[in-house]
Amino acid sequence: MPSEMMNRPVPMLAIADPNTLSTIGLQQILSEMIPSVDIKTFGTFDELQAADNGQFAHYFIASRIYFEHTAYFRDNARRSIVLVNGDMQIQGVATLNVCQSEKQLVKSLMSLHGQGHSSVRQHPGYVPPTKSDALLSPRETEVTILLAKGCINKEIADNLNIGLTTVITHRKNIMEKLHARSLADIIIYAVVNGLVDVGEL
């Protein structure tokens, strides 16, 4: 690896949320979506503020922390994403509904990633994902696309004119090849590698 690649700073994200389970789940999804970032987690605003010297590309902040320290995050509105319960909107700042299915959460994150909250991609340490659909056979790629679009096994079998057992075998192979633990991992793979568009999910 060239020395300039090794010396590049790694882009960083911050999650500030007192809910440990929510933090772990979001950290896992973000790590899978953007493997080249370093994600720091904080249980309180004071912990975040003590560690913050402008290095974070984005803050993912629990709504309670945001409302208690609005001025701080308003000064960093382009980098702030408030974690909300439901479809609540906050003027001047992006929000992310954390009370939705894993698939919908991935879709929302992808949408944010493509709508101006792309400073991670502009960071000098960001390495964009490469098209890696060669990892999958052409038929596995077709199955992956249909899975990402929400099709169930029978719909995939009917759509591709193959047997249900064949779909299940392809699905098992896809999970193994992608080291996927859930359908969300397959969706992330499909979107990141350009197999489906966020609008198709």
Side-chain angles (χ1 to χ4, degrees):
M1 179 180 288
S3 60
E4 64 270 13
M5 287 285 287
M6 293 175 62
N7 293 330
R8 281 177 148 180
V10 175
M12 297 177 71
L13 301 177
I15 302 173
D17 190 340
N19 185 325
T20 305
L21 289 176
S22 290
T23 299
I24 291 169
L26 181 57
Q27 183 178 24
Q28 178 68 36
I29 291 171
L30 288 169
S31 295
E32 291 171 3
M33 289 176 66
I34 320 170
S36 60
V37 298
D38 183 13
I39 302 170
K40 302 293 184 194
T41 62
F42 306 95
T44 67
F45 172 75
D46 291 340
E47 292 173 3
L48 170 65
Q49 189 177 34
D52 187 10
N53 59 10
Q55 77 274 30
F56 295 115
H58 285 296
Y59 307 102
F60 288 85
I61 323 116
S63 56
R64 191 184 86 202
I65 293 176
Y66 174 80
F67 287 119
E68 289 172 355
H69 305 279
T70 305
Y72 185 86
F73 296 109
R74 287 274 182 185
D75 288 344
N76 296 286
R78 297 260 317 140
R79 297 188 289 149
S80 298
I81 299 166
V82 182
L83 307 175
V84 297
N85 298 322
D87 293 327
M88 183 171 101
Q89 299 296 312
I90 302 171
Q91 188 174 358
V93 69
T95 58
L96 177 65
N97 176 9
V98 293
C99 291
Q100 55 187 331
S101 70
E102 191 175 11
K103 178 180 176 179
Q104 282 301 117
L105 187 59
V106 168
K107 183 177 176 180
S108 296
L109 283 165
M110 287 296 200
S111 180
L112 278 173
H113 193 58
Q115 292 175 357
H117 275 270
S118 57
S119 56
V120 170
R121 290 179 294 184
Q122 296 162 6
H123 192 283
Y126 176 64
V127 179
T130 57
K131 265 210 176 256
S132 53
D133 50 293
L135 178 68
L136 303 178
S137 72
R139 180 62 88 189
E140 288 167 347
T141 299
E142 291 175 326
V143 172
T144 297
I145 291 167
L146 292 171
L147 284 170
K149 290 181 178 180
C151 295
I152 60 173
N153 290 348
K154 182 169 182 353
E155 291 171 326
I156 295 169
D158 292 345
N159 194 303
L160 299 178
N161 295 315
I162 57 177
L164 194 56
T165 309
T166 306
V167 173
I168 293 167
T169 301
H170 283 313
R171 214 173 157 153
K172 178 177 167 284
N173 292 341
I174 291 163
M175 296 289 282
E176 287 175 3
K177 286 183 177 182
L178 300 183
H179 305 290
R181 291 179 298 281
S182 68
L183 180 59
D185 293 341
I186 293 173
I187 295 167
I188 291 167
Y189 172 86
V191 174
V192 166
N193 286 282
L195 302 179
V196 295
D197 185 73
V198 173
E200 298 178 88
L201 300 181

